[in-house]
Amino acid sequence: MKYSETKPPVFTLTAGPVDAYPEVLRALGKTVLYDYDPAFQAFYESVALKAQKAMGTDTPPVILQGEPVLALEAAAACLIAKDDVVLNLASGVYGKGFGYWAARYAKTVEEIEVPYDTSIDPEDVRAFLKAHPEVKVVCVCNHDTPSGTINDIDAIGAATAEAGALLIVDAVSSWGGMKTSPDACRAGIYVTGPNKCLGCPPGLSLVAVSDAAWAKIEANPDAPFASILSLGDWKNAWKKTEKFPFTPSVAEINGLDAALDRYLDEGPEAVWERHAVTAGICREGIKGMGVKLWPATEDIASPTTTSVRMPEGIDAAPVLAEARSRYGISMSAGRAETLGKLIRIGHMGPTAQPAYALLAVAAMGGALKAAGAKVDVAAGLAAAQAAWEASIDA
């Protein structure tokens, strides 16, 4: 049986956009209220306060009306002044990419870059900052999705705080799927969104801003205002007594509300565990069939994405096409430097369930075998099943 390329796949097991929870899809179909209707203003405030509870912050996060790439660029534009020296930490494509935004606004951008199958050593950050006290801002990606690797942002945040600098964190594909928070990493600006682990479609950003970061933004004469990149314009927009800088995405706010309810009702710890168990099962299945993971060590492998290293001589593109056409399963390619070298299986939101891990292992194995790789699909499925059963016993 073949699945048509012109029709949606049966299962979307990608690293984003991800499938949305049914509750979110239902909420997106609710009445779209006028943004200055008192009912919507009160509702918007309640959603912002709910997001504050979910993120564990002292004040409601800024909700920007665009998917998190907007918030990441806004963080650079608002926080970085033209006389600032910035340290960018690049352990993958997205971490590297943030340096290009930083360079638009900073005096100088320094960089610590490591191979894209490894992670940043917090002690290297500490040593660099000690040798370069002029650094005012440090930028790091928590989960560099094109590699499926995790940086220890809590330790990096501690080193940054010791140096008196401010930390910008890209937590887009980590928050909501693992234990991470703005306070734990001492972030100045912590960017995430509901379109990954929270199981929403792309359309909004959640941005936690510390008091120190607000002070720097408000003292930065080059920070944008009356602009889609302005964090300051939205600082108090969560209050039902305040005006919106421009029309918010009403339907997306409806969806966010449903996603936050689901996350809080299930319990953050339970959600994180579900993501971790699913990823663990998937990794055991991949290794069981004789294929290597992309991360150099498994302790830096993300619980929200499994990155699979392509066997020698195998390009990822035909494997992805085969998985989709033969099995109806869509997975993600690499990006830039990792393109063609790996395939990413997403475990975010609705697909962070063990059954999907077995589907992914089966499709990956079958597609790799069709591409000429020597893999033992049955052994991979047996390893994944054993890992699933072990997780139940635990």
Side-chain angles (χ1 to χ4, degrees):
M1 181 177 180
K2 291 286 185 178
Y3 293 92
S4 170
E5 292 183 0
T6 61
K7 294 182 180 180
V10 179
F11 298 105
T12 300
L13 306 183
T14 64
V18 304
D19 201 0
Y21 283 114
E23 300 96 320
V24 172
L25 294 175
R26 287 194 294 270
L28 290 170
K30 288 183 176 179
T31 300
V32 176
L33 293 174
Y34 172 51
D35 56 335
Y36 283 111
D37 188 290
F40 180 75
Q41 289 180 300
F43 173 65
Y44 189 96
E45 181 178 291
S46 73
V47 174
L49 292 171
K50 199 175 293 181
Q52 177 187 351
K53 180 180 180 181
M55 294 182 74
T57 53
D58 292 334
T59 57
V62 172
I63 305 174
L64 291 185
Q65 312 300 309
E67 69 99 15
V69 71
L70 165 67
L72 291 167
E73 186 171 355
C78 293
L79 191 68
I80 300 171
K82 62 183 178 182
D83 59 349
D84 281 346
V85 176
V86 173
L87 173 61
N88 188 55
L89 306 179
S91 60
V93 175
Y94 289 170
K96 182 72 172 180
F98 193 89
Y100 302 131
W101 279 321
R104 294 180 187 174
Y105 307 103
K107 176 183 177 182
T108 306
V109 175
E110 303 289 349
E111 198 159 69
I112 295 175
E113 186 170 9
V114 297
Y116 289 1
D117 60 352
T118 62
S119 62
I120 300 293
D121 185 340
E123 290 307 314
D124 289 344
V125 178
R126 180 173 279 105
F128 189 96
L129 293 174
K130 187 174 181 180
H132 298 273
E134 69 276 12
V135 171
K136 300 298 182 185
V137 177
V138 178
C139 316
V140 65
C141 184
N142 188 188
H143 170 212
D144 213 302
T145 324
S147 299
T149 54
I150 295 291
N151 284 309
D152 186 349
I153 56 170
D154 290 0
I156 290 169
T160 301
E162 288 169 14
L166 290 172
L167 183 68
I168 297 176
V169 174
D170 172 350
V172 175
S173 58
S174 59
W175 182 79
M178 63 185 80
K179 186 177 181 179
T180 176
S181 71
D183 287 352
C185 65
R186 308 189 200 185
I189 297 182
Y190 183 97
V191 175
T192 189
N195 59 307
K196 297 280 189 175
C197 302
L198 223 54
C200 287
L204 296 174
S205 301
L206 299 174
V207 189
V209 185
S210 71
D211 290 343
W214 276 127
K216 190 173 190 305
I217 290 169
E218 289 162 1
N220 180 8
D222 299 313
F225 66 94
S227 164
I228 196 168
L229 291 178
S230 174
L231 292 170
D233 288 356
W234 287 90
K235 180 179 180 180
N236 294 311
W238 65 272
K239 299 177 182 179
K240 62 186 177 183
T241 55
E242 300 293 323
K243 294 181 178 180
F244 296 115
F246 54 84
T247 305
S249 180
V250 176
E252 295 290 350
I253 298 297
N254 290 338
L256 172 60
D257 181 60
L260 290 168
D261 279 342
R262 195 190 193 290
Y263 180 72
L264 293 169
D265 289 346
E266 183 176 353
E269 291 82 3
V271 176
W272 305 337
E273 178 67 13
R274 177 162 54 83
H275 282 73
V277 166
T278 303
I281 293 168
C282 190
R283 290 198 299 268
E284 290 304 310
I286 295 300
K287 293 185 296 179
M289 73 172 69
V291 180
K292 293 181 179 180
L293 301 173
W294 177 262
T297 57
E298 205 164 335
D299 62 309
I300 62 167
S302 171
T304 62
T305 298
T306 295
S307 291
V308 182
R309 188 181 296 269
M310 291 297 95
E312 187 174 353
I314 303 293
D315 183 77
V319 179
L320 286 165
E322 180 73 8
R324 193 187 190 285
S325 65
R326 184 179 292 270
Y327 303 104
I329 292 179
S330 178
M331 297 178 283
S332 293
R335 293 282 187 271
E337 286 86 345
T338 64
L339 183 64
K341 301 175 183 177
L342 58 79
I343 287 175
R344 298 174 293 148
I345 302 165
H347 318 295
M348 299 181 193
T351 59
Q353 296 284 358
Y356 288 110
L358 267 68
L359 286 173
V361 170
M364 179 73 77
L368 281 169
K369 194 170 184 178
K374 294 182 179 180
V375 296
D376 190 334
V377 183
L381 286 170
Q385 180 67 33
W388 189 356
E389 292 174 359
S391 73
I392 294 171
D393 293 339

